[in-house]
């Protein structure tokens, strides 16, 4: 059975690399090449202009070429993962994978370069000759001690960052994990005894970094295949190992492990035994980083030291020391400020950023990527997970700042805070466009009640609201369930202390709530018994009553169930004093920019009057995002050419709008392509009321609007903000079951904005 499982896994890995096309990389053009004009600009004669500009000023290469965002991953295949010296060609899948990680995690373009050259001096000469092509060099999987020679020569000769990830990337992540391990164990770097196995590139780099963090060199005991590195030893010695030589004669790992506070293994399987761990200090720190099999299995270490703090290089154990936590983001920061090198200060800034992030509340995105894992700071969570999207916005600015402070930045960023916002916007696509909304929401402290308060997405949103805003979340749910799920998710907030919980099964306001609901609905067939039942079981109705009674300012529901079911109870309670649901507006964030769509939910087939109201309300909400509305009324009919139901209703809506003379641009009725493409619209109707693409599409029925919304989500990688329920003075919003925690936080910011802020 195990053999079959392994063979299946092997074949799956091979298929991944072969299909649908071989390899993991491709090159795509960033500029159009559709006609002769494009060709003349991309190549001859237009390309000469860019060449001449770069000849006159080399720094302009960053403006006119990809060099400023291009990294080379260079290897000769002499020390590949745990495979050893497999050669340059066989290393290519690894280097392609490294290039993919650069792109995925930091948006950095990358070429993998495999060189069939064993001589470290010649290898360095080849790498140095690549400087005109790349903005930075990532050396990878070059055996020790050759890697030290290659890196030294390249750093001396090249005026761009050169980073040997096996050394320094590993050292940075180990440094971050060790920083937090010290906190958990209640120890200090300067006081500990450290025993390490493995004198290769990664091991030496880790020890040097730990020295920079405070470990005393005389308290470091380095062992390798020949035993303890000691003064006078000649076997298997290098200048790098010699720096850690202890006085005295030969000794083994078993001889020196006594009283060690920390073990750092970058060697091989089974090197550390349980008996050795038992001889370490209480709360021993065991970093067994050999791959794929660690120096000691975590369960064996814990069998003799239950309080051990353990890290490995594997993803199936807690505290995986993974270089992807570091290298994409340190290169991002270095490239963005035009750093000439990656120095110690930049590496230490990276360590501090990674360590601090682990101590913060886990992001919802990371929690979703690692479903089922408990991620709260402690002995089993020393460092963040690789898919934590906050890594970019924390590490890259810290690295950039350190580069500027140490004078190695050739293009300093003017404002680190603005730079961070830009990076966050590249990771959280809604970040930049939502900024005006969050700023407006910060002007007041509003009470927002969540109808589905037991949902983990809601719990994470409540935590984010308390961390990032002045709003006060109210959760409807059973307190014991809320408490359990908060604990399971590793969230620090607690009901009663940090936020209010409304228990539908036992709340002192129950009599008041069902009484209010009965009073509102008694002439719509609702009896007292029915009112009691609804206020005991229907959390959407409870939330609406709380808003009606002004015990909350706004409500959010819809994480499960059907939109119109939720809307029914909102209408019953909150459609008062001329306020009625007008329509649902969805903001779709696309690669080409933002696009608003309405009405996706409320009116299945709106009347002309309802369409006109939707147009006006949509324009008002678009302005909340700092945008100028350009509204297209969309239909199968185009500028009067068809007397379809949708066409006639749209034309009538246009007449209503013309009579009201709103202060924004609108036009219709038209097809979607005419709305989005100026040239198409000019051919059909050259006298349209706005120029450029529409940013708001209003449809004549919910089928069309909802269909377009879902197509953009599923096939165009559109990120939705919304739906925004218009017409109820920002007192209620109904989301959809597919919403993420980030989406809920965005809706909460919209709900948290006083109506006075946007009219």
């Amino acid at each position: 059975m195990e053999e079959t499982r392994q063979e299946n896994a092997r074949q799956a890995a091979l298929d991944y690399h072969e299909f649908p096309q071989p390899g993991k990389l491709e090159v795509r053009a960033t500029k159009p090449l559709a006609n002769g004009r494009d060709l003349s600009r991309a190549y001859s004669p237009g390309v000469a202009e860019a060449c001449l500009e770069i000849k006159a000023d080399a720094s302009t290469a960053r403006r006119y070429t990809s060099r400023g965002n291009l990294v080379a991953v260079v290897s000769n295949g002499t020390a590949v993962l745990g495979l050893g010296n497999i050669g340059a060609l066989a290393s290519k899948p690894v280097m392609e994978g490294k290039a993919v990680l650069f792109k995925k995690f930091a948006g950095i373009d990358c070429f993998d370069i495999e060189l069939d050259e064993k001589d470290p001096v010649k290898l360095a000469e080849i790498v140095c000759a690549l400087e005109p092509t790349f903005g930075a060099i990532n050396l990878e999987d070059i055996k020790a001690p050759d890697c030290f020679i290659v890196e030294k020569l390249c750093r001396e000769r090249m005026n761009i960052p050169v980073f040997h990830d096996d050394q320094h990337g590993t050292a940075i992540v180990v440094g971050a994990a060790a920083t937090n391990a010290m906190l958990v164990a209640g120890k200090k770097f300067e006081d500990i005894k450290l025993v390490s196995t493995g004198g290769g590139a990664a091991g030496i780099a880790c020890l040097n970094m730990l020295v920079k963090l405070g470990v005393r060199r005389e308290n470091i005991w380095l062992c390798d295949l020949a035993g303890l590195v000691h003064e006078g030893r000649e076997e298997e010695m290098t200048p790098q190992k010699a720096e850690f030589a202890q006085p005295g004669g030969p000794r083994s790992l078993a001889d020196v492990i006594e009283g060690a506070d920390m073990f750092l293994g970058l060697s091989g399987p089974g090197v550390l035994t349980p008996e050795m761990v038992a001889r370490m200090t209480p709360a021993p720190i065991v970093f067994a980083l050999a791959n794929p099999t660690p120096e000691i299995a975590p369960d064996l270490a814990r069998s003799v030291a239950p309080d051990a703090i353990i890290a490995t290089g594997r993803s199936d154990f807690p505290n995986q020391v993974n270089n992807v936590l570091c290298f994409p983001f340190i290169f991002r920061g270095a490239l963005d400020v035009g750093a000439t090198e990656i120095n110690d200060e930049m590496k230490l800034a990276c360590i501090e950023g990674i360590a601090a992030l682990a101590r913060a509340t886990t992001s919802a995105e990371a929690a979703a990527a690692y479903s089922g894992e408990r991620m709260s700071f402690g002995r089993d969570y020393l460092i963040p997970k690789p898919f934590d999207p906050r890594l970019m916005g924390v590490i890259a600015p810290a690295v950039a700042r350190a580069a500027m402070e140490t004078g190695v930045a050739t293009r300093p960023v003017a404002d680190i805070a603005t730079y961070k916002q830009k990076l966050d916007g590249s990771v959280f696509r809604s970040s930049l466009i939502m900024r005006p909304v969050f700023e407006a929401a910060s002007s007041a402290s509003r009470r927002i009640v969540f109808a589905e308060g037991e949902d983990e997405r809601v719990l994470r949103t409540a935590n984010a609201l308390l961390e990032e805003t002045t709003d006060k979340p109210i959760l409807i749910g059973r307190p014991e369930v809320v408490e359990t799920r908060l604990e399971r998710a590793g969230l620090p907030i607690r009901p009663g202390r940090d936020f209010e919980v409304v228990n539908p099964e036992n709340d002192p306001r129950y009599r008041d709530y069902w009484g209010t609901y009965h009073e509102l609905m008694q002439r719509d067939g609702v009896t007292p018994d029915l009112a009691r039942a609804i206020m005991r079981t229907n959390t959407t109705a409870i939330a609406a009553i709380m808003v009606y009674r002004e015990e909350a300012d706004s409500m959010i529901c819809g994480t499960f169930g059907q939109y119109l079911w939720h809307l029914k109870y909102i209408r019953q309670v909150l459609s008062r004093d001329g306020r009625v649901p007008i329509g649902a507006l969805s903001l779709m964030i696309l690669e080409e920019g933002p696009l608003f769509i309405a009405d996706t939910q409320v009116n299945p087939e709106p009347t002309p009057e309802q369409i006109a109201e939707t147009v006006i309300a949509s324009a008002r909400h678009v302005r909340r995002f700092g945008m100028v509305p350009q509204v297209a009324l969309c239909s199968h009919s185009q500028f009067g050419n068809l007397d379809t139901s949708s066409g006639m209703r749209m034309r009538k809506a246009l007449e209503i709008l013309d009579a009201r003379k709103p202060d924004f641009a609108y036009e219709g009725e038209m097809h979607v392509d005419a709305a989005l493409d100026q040239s198409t619209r000019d051919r059909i109707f050259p006298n349209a009321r706005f120029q450029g693409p529409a940013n708001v599409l209003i449809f004549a029925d919910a089928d069309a609007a909802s269909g377009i919304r879902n197509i953009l989500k599923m096939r165009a990688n559109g990120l939705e903000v919304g739906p925004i329920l218009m017409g109820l003075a920002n007192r209620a919003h109904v989301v959809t079951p597919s919403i993420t925690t980030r989406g809920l936080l965005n809706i909460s910011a919209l709900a948290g904005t006083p109506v006075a802020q946007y009219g």
Side-chain angles (χ1 to χ4, degrees):
M1 180 66 73
E2 178 62 21
E3 290 181 2
T4 302
R5 189 189 67 80
Q6 290 181 358
E7 179 57 30
N8 289 341
R10 175 181 176 276
Q11 191 58 52
L14 291 174
D15 290 345
Y16 176 87
H17 284 80
E18 185 176 2
F19 303 109
Q21 63 187 66
K24 298 191 284 284
L25 296 173
E26 67 178 4
V27 175
R28 293 191 179 188
T30 63
K31 302 294 190 295
L33 194 63
N35 50 46
R37 181 185 61 186
D38 292 341
L39 181 60
S40 70
R41 292 173 177 173
Y43 202 56
S44 182
V47 71
E49 302 300 334
C51 294
L52 293 171
E53 287 292 314
I54 296 169
K55 182 178 182 296
D57 181 359
S59 69
T60 61
R62 184 176 182 269
R63 295 174 56 190
Y64 302 121
T65 75
S66 61
R67 183 175 184 262
N69 193 51
L70 187 62
V71 169
V73 174
V74 181
S75 180
N76 64 358
T78 53
V80 181
L81 301 176
L83 305 174
N85 186 356
I86 62 174
L89 180 58
S91 77
K92 187 172 177 62
V94 178
M95 305 311 137
E96 282 190 358
K98 196 64 176 283
V100 170
L101 296 179
F102 268 110
K103 188 67 174 180
K104 169 67 178 178
F105 288 100
I108 295 172
D109 296 318
C110 186
F111 289 151
D112 63 292
I113 298 178
E114 295 77 29
L115 299 172
D116 190 12
E117 178 57 71
K118 302 295 193 296
D119 185 292
V121 176
K122 292 182 179 178
L123 181 59
E125 290 174 353
I126 297 170
V127 176
C128 289
L130 297 172
E131 184 168 351
T133 300
F134 297 99
I137 303 291
N138 183 119
L139 300 174
E140 192 78 15
D141 292 349
I142 303 169
K143 71 179 180 70
D146 293 0
C147 60
F148 301 120
I149 300 169
V150 176
E151 185 195 19
K152 182 176 183 294
L153 291 173
C154 289
R155 285 173 63 92
E156 289 173 354
R157 298 176 188 179
M158 303 181 82
N159 201 40
I160 58 175
V162 178
F163 187 82
H164 187 205
D165 189 47
D166 297 322
Q167 293 184 63
H168 308 300
T170 304
I172 287 168
V173 183
V174 165
T179 296
N180 283 338
M182 293 295 144
L183 291 174
V184 173
K187 300 179 180 182
K188 296 181 178 179
F189 280 119
E190 57 266 31
D191 298 332
I192 67 167
K193 176 183 178 181
L194 170 64
V195 176
S196 181
T197 59
I204 295 296
C206 288
L207 294 180
N208 285 327
M209 182 59 71
L210 290 168
V211 169
K212 293 181 177 72
L213 291 169
V215 179
R216 301 180 190 276
R217 196 174 290 270
E218 60 267 26
N219 291 342
I220 295 176
W221 302 73
L222 173 60
C223 299
D224 60 10
L225 291 172
L228 177 70
V229 175
H230 60 87
E231 293 176 352
R233 193 184 107 174
E234 296 182 359
E235 183 184 3
E236 297 288 336
M237 286 296 287
T238 65
Q240 292 78 21
K241 291 181 186 178
E243 293 183 11
F244 297 96
Q246 285 283 354
R251 279 155 287 177
S252 68
L253 174 62
D255 296 328
V256 299
I257 196 69
E258 184 76 38
D261 298 278
M262 179 176 178
F263 169 82
L264 174 63
L266 292 124
S267 49
V271 169
L272 189 68
T273 66
E275 291 75 22
M276 294 178 187
V277 175
R279 293 164 56 200
M280 297 175 68
T281 59
I285 299 166
V286 179
F287 283 15
L289 306 182
N291 256 328
T293 307
E295 286 80 359
I296 187 171
D299 58 335
L300 287 179
R302 289 239 165 86
S303 69
V304 295
D307 59 348
I309 301 165
I310 303 171
T312 71
R314 294 176 57 129
S315 61
D316 52 350
F317 295 124
N319 300 323
Q320 183 194 18
V321 173
N322 191 328
N323 289 11
V324 78
L325 289 172
C326 160
F327 71 82
F329 315 111
I330 200 168
F331 273 93
R332 182 74 280 157
L335 288 169
D336 288 342
V337 297
T340 56
E341 65 177 12
I342 294 175
N343 57 30
D344 286 342
E345 289 79 7
M346 295 160 73
K347 297 170 191 173
L348 290 168
C350 192
I351 288 173
E352 292 168 6
I354 295 171
L357 194 55
R359 298 192 297 269
T361 305
T362 307
S363 75
E365 289 79 8
Y370 299 92
S371 180
E373 294 188 38
R374 189 176 185 276
M375 292 182 288
S376 56
F377 179 67
R379 66 181 65 252
D380 289 332
Y381 190 70
L382 299 174
I383 46 178
K385 297 289 189 177
F387 283 96
D388 193 325
R390 299 171 298 175
L391 285 161
M392 175 89 88
V394 170
I395 297 173
V399 169
R401 182 185 291 107
M404 293 188 291
E405 291 174 350
T406 55
V408 300
T410 62
R411 297 185 304 274
V413 297
D415 185 351
I416 285 289
T418 301
Y419 173 56
K420 181 182 185 318
Q421 288 174 345
K422 180 182 176 183
L423 292 173
D424 286 340
S426 70
V427 178
F428 303 110
R429 289 195 288 158
S430 62
S431 176
L432 291 176
I433 197 166
M434 286 297 298
R435 196 185 311 161
V437 176
F438 275 94
E439 289 174 353
S442 67
S443 66
S445 179
R446 286 170 58 89
R447 300 158 300 171
I448 302 173
V449 56
F450 294 86
E452 297 97 25
E454 297 175 1
D455 190 295
E456 185 177 327
R457 293 167 294 176
V458 172
L459 298 176
R460 292 190 176 279
T461 302
N463 184 76
L465 282 176
L466 291 166
E467 287 184 344
E468 302 177 24
T469 75
T470 58
D471 292 327
K472 299 174 181 176
I474 303 169
L475 274 56
I476 301 177
R478 295 161 293 175
E480 66 278 7
V481 175
V482 171
E483 185 88 39
T484 299
R485 292 181 180 178
L486 285 169
E487 179 70 24
R488 188 175 65 195
L491 297 172
I493 59 174
R494 290 295 178 267
R497 184 190 70 191
D498 303 300
F499 59 90
E500 179 187 347
V501 172
V502 178
N503 183 0
E505 294 180 348
N506 184 21
D507 191 276
R509 296 164 293 187
Y510 171 65
R511 174 65 181 84
D512 295 331
Y513 285 2
W514 77 254
T516 300
Y517 184 74
H518 177 254
E519 183 180 344
L520 293 172
M521 298 299 297
Q522 59 187 334
R523 293 191 178 276
D524 291 280
V526 174
T527 64
D529 286 343
L530 183 57
R532 292 188 190 96
I534 289 172
M535 285 298 108
R536 187 67 83 191
T537 59
N538 189 321
T539 58
T540 297
I542 296 171
I545 286 293
M546 291 185 70
V547 174
Y548 177 82
R549 291 170 55 88
E550 298 185 351
E551 295 174 9
D553 298 298
S554 189
M555 63 170 287
I556 296 173
C557 61
T559 59
F560 66 85
Q562 204 273 331
Y563 190 100
L564 293 179
W565 182 90
H566 292 280
L567 187 61
K568 169 186 172 183
Y569 293 97
I570 291 171
R571 273 193 164 120
Q572 286 180 353
V573 177
L574 297 179
S575 290
R576 310 278 165 182
D577 303 322
R579 293 283 187 181
V580 296
I582 290 174
L585 177 69
S586 287
L587 164 58
M588 307 303 300
I589 303 173
L590 308 168
E591 288 187 8
E592 297 79 6
L595 183 65
F596 292 84
I597 298 171
D599 168 19
T600 57
Q601 302 284 354
V602 175
N603 299 302
E605 192 169 300
T607 65
E609 291 76 15
Q610 288 172 329
I611 293 170
E613 290 292 342
T614 299
V615 169
I616 293 170
S618 297
R620 182 169 65 250
H621 283 275
V622 167
R623 285 171 168 150
R624 299 176 68 180
F625 296 87
M627 298 173 59
V628 177
Q630 295 203 139
V631 185
L633 283 70
C634 298
S635 165
H636 182 51
S637 173
Q638 186 148 250
F639 299 109
N641 69 349
L642 292 175
D643 287 332
T644 58
S645 170
S646 66
M648 291 188 288
R649 284 184 289 120
M650 283 299 188
R651 292 197 288 275
K652 181 62 178 178
L654 202 69
E655 293 176 7
I656 296 170
L657 290 167
D658 289 344
R660 297 181 62 168
K661 296 182 171 57
D663 60 346
F664 56 86
Y666 58 93
E667 187 59 276
E669 81 285 9
M670 66 181 88
H671 293 178
V672 172
D673 58 351
L676 298 178
D677 182 66
Q678 177 74 48
S679 60
T680 300
R681 192 164 64 249
D682 284 344
R683 288 195 300 272
I684 299 166
F685 195 79
N687 298 315
R689 308 182 199 200
F690 59 78
Q691 297 294 306
N695 52 23
V696 186
L697 305 181
I698 306 295
F699 290 90
D701 59 73
D703 285 350
S706 183
I708 292 291
R709 161 186 171 266
N710 285 318
I711 289 171
L712 293 176
K713 284 173 66 175
M714 303 308 297
R715 288 294 182 263
N717 195 29
L719 178 67
E720 183 181 19
V721 175
I724 303 166
L725 182 57
M726 304 181 292
L728 288 177
N730 209 19
R731 302 176 76 196
H733 293 285
V734 186
V735 300
T736 56
S738 62
I739 197 163
T740 63
T741 300
R742 176 64 52 175
L744 275 171
L745 182 60
N746 288 335
I747 282 290
S748 300
L750 288 158
T753 307
V755 176
Q757 290 284 340
Y758 62 94

